[in-house]
Amino acid sequence: MLWKKSKYSGWGRALTANADLARPERLSALKALTNDAAQPAIGHCRSYGDAALNDGGRAVDMTRLDRIIGFDAETGIVNVQAGVQIGDLGTTFAPRGWIAPVMPGTGFATVGGCIANDVHGKNHHHVGSFGQHVTEMALIQNGKVKTVTPDKTPDLFKATIGGLGQTGIIASAKIQLMPCKGDMMVLTERRVDGWDEFLTLLDDATSDYTVGWIDATAKGEALGRGILEEGEITSGVSPTNGKSKDVPFNAPHWALSRPIVRLFNELYFRRVPSSGRTSVKPITAPFFPLDKVHNWNRLYGKRGFHQFQCVVPIDQAPALRDMLERIAMSGLASPLAVLKRMGAGRAGYLSFPMEGYTLAVDFPNRPDAVALIGRLEKMTADAGGRIYFAKDALCSSERIAQMYPELEKWQKATAKADPENALATDLVRRLKLRTPT
Amino acid sequence: MNETWIILGATSSIAKAFAREVATRGDAVFLAGRDMDDLKETANDCGLRGARHAEAVAFDARDPGNYAKIIARLTKEEGQINAAVFVGSMPDQSEIDADPNLIAGTVTDSFTGPAHFLQLLAPLLEERGCGTIVGTGSVAGDRGRLGNYVYGAAKAGFHTYLSGLRNRLGRAGVHVLTVKPGMVDTAMTWGLDGLVLVVGPEKVASDILKAVKKKRNTVYSPFPWRYIMLIIRCIPEPIFKKLSI
């Protein structure tokens, strides 16, 4: 297999790696590759920080291993190669009445990546995390395929789900799909005037999918204002999908400067009438709102950006409010800020979700933003919450054990699965995840 | 529409992308090539994505004895039969320079093998009075160049063959399309230096289907290659022979 010298980065583009990449197109090639030596697998690199980076090493690009292997129309269990994109799974099976129970914010994420980060969707409070719907995985260790299930190999299963690829290469997985009425979504949007109202609405929401957009530049009385989106899946006729757009080059650094973001957020807030509105859209629109603009990460210019995402327990909502206030006062936030209610569902030792509220905010990669994120991380840890590895590029290793109480179990399992540390990535090294404390 | 595709060289990434597109619209696909394990996986994938029928068939361009069996199998399918040819091999030119025995295999894979197969298939399409043949050539076949002139010569032969076949089958209502891909992001080009205007296999596959729909004769993918090759063809030979492009 040919190794290609590549310079690549995560979605945030603030960190980059120089690595030799192989991209097998057939399963036989993947197995042959792992016979010689183990190396981490990567997908479409939609994690923001360095979860997919292996600077100075090697990695296996799984994106061409994207076949659907099997589907049982009785049970709704689909077997797919790890390179299948979650959006592809949606467009293929939704018209037949099945849908992946958990869909992350981008349809470009691969199934392998969804497992390795145990991703959650806008319906986490109902269905839990992605890994909870995985019934079986084919894991390649030293050129051999090992079957991993929650019942027969529970320890390895929990170490692999949300395990950042540290137990082996996920070659394929069986996922229990969920019946759905069709491939359309009834979407209700309403304005929310402030923080307290937002939390009440999120707590009381009964719809299948719920997410809040927050104006992270609003201060004082308006702190925490935003738009609540609620969606229910339905059937109907889809209008022809609009063509996707592209950001062809890096935007200048002032493209997301304070006055522009303030103006954008004001307009975005007023886009929804004060009485709210309901519309019917193709299913991909509300699930993957940003996928319509290819390479939107270039809007942050060549320096890239960071996303901060944390979750805090329900009773720590005031701490989250303090964080939002700090963000608003800093004036550093970008238009992208999301608030969600999270359920308790999680499937792996290092899974992110916990019962509580999760806040995600994008910041341009600037020194003052980096400093702010550092403070937010501390506030998260103090509130008994945790940060999300799929988004992180900045956290220090000190607070990880506090945030992830099952870290030790994960370390034991990964030490057994990969004693040589051959699968370690930049994120794993930065956060010293595999170093027992 | 009751269309059936025989796809030669179906382990290639362009062929896979193409098979997936026609499978999604409900056509039947026969995936022909040498790696049966891989072909069976692709057939599974196509079937689950909506193909009316998907089957892996053993095909080796260098073994013409096997061709008739495939044609016989296709004859059993009702309705319109189409063929898409994605076979070819491109050994490093320096390897060929060192061992001219490699020429025969390159020409068989890229030209005479598929031509032989199409020659056997043509009467069936003529008889039904419909059908499409997609032949994949290459921009390398437009002019002999330092880097890959044996592969280029084989593809140039295939272009000429396709143009003759178009002349013959056009009278019977069968459409022949010549596709000339530029640089495509496949296993063949992975890690090569100096690539320009690289597109993914999905882009070539969708360009092909658009060209089939419009009944185009020759299509470059992506389209700027039409003009790049126009310029390259216009360079006078006394100058061209000194260039290494």
Side-chain angles (χ1 to χ4, degrees):
Chain A
M1 171 59 64
L2 198 57
W3 294 91
K4 179 182 177 179
K5 288 206 175 307
S6 313
K7 189 176 177 185
Y8 68 107
S9 54
W11 187 242
R13 303 205 310 157
L15 303 176
T16 54
N18 287 294
D20 291 334
L21 302 184
R23 189 185 58 191
E25 308 229 350
R26 308 179 196 185
L27 198 58
S28 54
L30 174 67
K31 280 187 200 156
L33 202 69
T34 50
N35 264 334
D36 314 334
Q39 45 259 319
I42 63 173
H44 281 286
C45 296
R46 292 293 162 140
S47 50
Y48 285 62
D50 47 4
L53 304 187
N54 190 18
D55 194 30
R58 287 179 159 184
V60 183
D61 179 331
M62 300 289 288
T63 56
R64 288 286 164 98
L65 294 167
D66 65 346
R67 271 87 137 243
I68 301 168
I69 302 167
F71 176 65
D72 184 336
E74 297 271 303
T75 61
I77 291 179
V78 69
N79 188 4
V80 292
Q81 288 184 329
V84 165
Q85 293 177 27
I86 201 75
D88 179 16
L89 211 54
T91 45
T92 305
F93 288 99
R96 296 180 220 173
W98 295 94
I99 191 169
V102 175
M103 295 218 253
T106 170
F108 294 117
T110 60
V111 166
C114 288
I115 292 173
N117 292 289
D118 196 12
V119 300
H120 55 269
K122 299 172 175 57
N123 55 349
H124 184 266
H125 51 300
H126 293 307
V127 303
S129 69
F130 194 88
Q132 291 180 278
H133 306 275
V134 174
T135 60
E136 190 180 308
M137 287 178 281
L139 194 66
I140 299 189
Q141 296 177 322
N142 307 318
K144 289 193 188 68
V145 182
K146 191 164 186 171
T147 304
V148 181
T149 65
D151 302 328
K152 293 201 178 111
T153 48
D155 185 49
L156 188 55
F157 185 85
K158 282 186 203 157
T160 303
I161 304 281
L164 304 162
Q166 299 302 299
T167 55
I169 292 186
I170 302 161
S172 62
K174 289 187 182 167
I175 299 154
Q176 173 70 62
L177 300 183
M178 178 173 85
C180 69
K181 275 184 272 180
D183 52 1
M184 301 293 283
M185 176 93 84
V186 181
L187 186 71
T188 301
E189 296 161 288
R190 73 187 83 191
R191 286 192 202 170
V192 184
D193 292 322
W195 177 259
D196 293 336
E197 188 191 347
F198 225 132
L199 290 194
T200 313
L201 283 168
L202 285 172
D203 289 343
D204 297 345
T206 54
S207 52
D208 298 341
Y209 298 89
T210 312
V211 65
W213 170 82
I214 286 231
D215 177 357
T217 60
K219 291 180 261 195
E221 291 270 293
L223 183 79
R225 76 165 181 177
I227 292 164
L228 182 76
E229 290 183 19
E230 292 175 280
E232 305 263 358
I233 292 178
T234 182
S235 61
V237 183
S238 162
T240 45
N241 267 329
K243 258 190 135 175
S244 58
K245 295 177 181 65
D246 191 16
V247 180
F249 42 74
N250 290 326
H253 66 274
W254 47 261
L256 289 170
S257 62
R258 196 178 309 199
I260 293 183
V261 173
R262 284 193 71 95
L263 179 70
F264 178 90
N265 281 6
E266 187 67 35
L267 294 173
Y268 194 82
F269 182 71
R270 303 209 172 275
R271 176 186 63 105
V272 174
S274 55
S275 56
R277 68 175 178 197
T278 296
S279 55
V280 180
K281 293 187 166 161
I283 205 160
T284 49
F287 275 132
F288 315 127
L290 288 165
D291 284 359
K292 285 211 130 188
V293 185
H294 284 288
N295 300 314
W296 62 261
N297 52 356
R298 289 181 180 159
L299 287 173
Y300 288 92
K302 62 180 180 206
R303 282 182 294 192
F305 70 106
H306 295 290
Q307 181 170 101
F308 169 78
Q309 182 167 6
C310 71
V311 58
V312 298
I314 302 266
D315 57 5
Q316 292 293 324
L320 201 61
R321 188 184 188 279
D322 288 347
M323 287 192 228
L324 184 64
E325 195 154 21
R326 212 172 248 267
I327 294 166
M329 295 309 286
S330 76
L332 291 166
S334 79
L336 210 140
V338 168
L339 182 68
K340 263 188 300 219
R341 174 78 194 255
M342 199 160 236
R346 62 206 302 270
Y349 292 138
L350 290 195
S351 293
F352 169 69
M354 67 162 72
E355 173 103 55
Y357 301 100
T358 175
L359 175 71
V361 186
D362 283 6
F363 297 99
N365 180 21
R366 288 169 34 185
D368 38 1
V370 170
L372 173 65
I373 292 173
R375 278 195 294 277
L376 295 174
E377 271 158 14
K378 185 167 183 308
M379 292 168 85
T380 303
D382 291 345
R386 58 174 73 111
I387 56 118
Y388 192 8
F389 293 134
K391 309 290 177 73
D392 180 56
L394 295 168
C395 200
S396 67
S397 59
E398 301 145 38
R399 288 186 274 267
I400 297 300
Q402 182 188 345
M403 292 177 179
Y404 288 89
E406 289 178 303
L407 180 66
E408 211 171 305
K409 287 184 197 160
W410 181 80
Q411 284 173 338
K412 277 192 189 133
T414 47
K416 214 165 104 190
D418 173 37
E420 311 271 308
N421 262 5
L423 300 171
T425 56
D426 287 1
L427 177 132
V428 169
R429 283 184 288 268
R430 176 170 57 84
L431 296 177
K432 301 192 177 75
L433 288 183
R434 298 202 37 195
T435 318
T437 41
Chain B
M1 289 296 272
N2 214 11
E3 293 189 33
T4 300
W5 288 88
I6 169 78
I7 299 176
L8 302 185
T11 52
S12 92
S13 32
I14 304 177
K16 259 183 232 169
F18 182 80
R20 199 175 265 189
E21 285 233 17
V22 294
T24 309
R25 64 182 203 192
D27 292 0
V29 287
F30 288 83
L31 303 156
R34 283 180 300 170
D35 184 343
M36 288 304 282
D37 288 341
D38 184 65
L39 292 172
K40 278 179 192 155
E41 280 188 13
T42 306
N44 248 337
D45 181 64
C46 287
L48 291 164
R49 285 173 191 276
R52 196 176 70 246
H53 175 79
E55 187 177 327
V57 290
F59 168 86
D60 184 348
R62 303 187 191 186
D63 181 14
N66 248 334
Y67 295 176
K69 218 166 79 188
I70 302 174
I71 309 270
R73 175 69 188 81
L74 290 172
T75 311
K76 289 191 201 142
E77 292 294 307
E78 285 173 14
Q80 180 173 331
I81 310 275
N82 307 319
V85 177
F86 296 97
V87 284
S89 64
M90 186 174 78
D92 218 45
Q93 184 62 43
S94 58
E95 283 173 35
I96 301 178
D97 293 344
D99 179 11
N101 285 318
L102 292 174
I103 294 178
T106 307
V107 174
T108 307
D109 293 342
S110 309
F111 169 28
T112 53
H116 188 157
F117 181 88
L118 292 177
Q119 209 65 17
L120 292 175
L121 181 69
L124 177 62
L125 272 58
E126 275 179 314
E127 186 194 303
R128 299 206 180 174
C130 62
T132 299
I133 292 174
V134 175
T136 309
S138 169
V139 292
D142 276 6
R143 194 155 190 183
R145 292 182 304 111
L146 192 65
N148 57 7
Y149 57 91
V150 168
Y151 172 74
K155 286 295 190 184
F158 193 47
H159 293 166
T160 308
Y161 169 78
L162 288 171
S163 131
L165 191 66
R166 173 157 50 240
N167 209 309
R168 168 183 161 191
L169 295 182
R171 295 153 211 264
V174 179
H175 173 56
V176 178
L177 167 71
T178 307
V179 185
K180 297 183 183 177
M183 291 168 185
V184 188
D185 185 15
T186 64
M188 202 157 89
T189 57
W190 180 253
L192 293 188
D193 293 328
L195 301 181
V196 288
L197 281 176
V198 180
V199 293
E202 295 79 17
K203 165 72 178 151
V204 180
S206 82
D207 279 358
I208 293 174
L209 276 176
K210 268 183 227 152
V212 166
K213 207 170 163 191
K214 288 188 190 159
K215 296 218 180 284
R216 299 271 303 276
N217 296 316
T218 301
V219 65
Y220 287 80
S221 175
F223 77 94
W225 281 98
R226 174 175 291 275
Y227 302 99
I228 296 171
M229 294 320 292
L230 183 68
I231 294 165
I232 289 180
R233 280 200 310 271
C234 287
I235 301 172
E237 194 69 9
I239 299 172
F240 190 76
K241 71 179 181 188
K242 290 177 187 152
L243 301 176
S244 28
I245 48 175

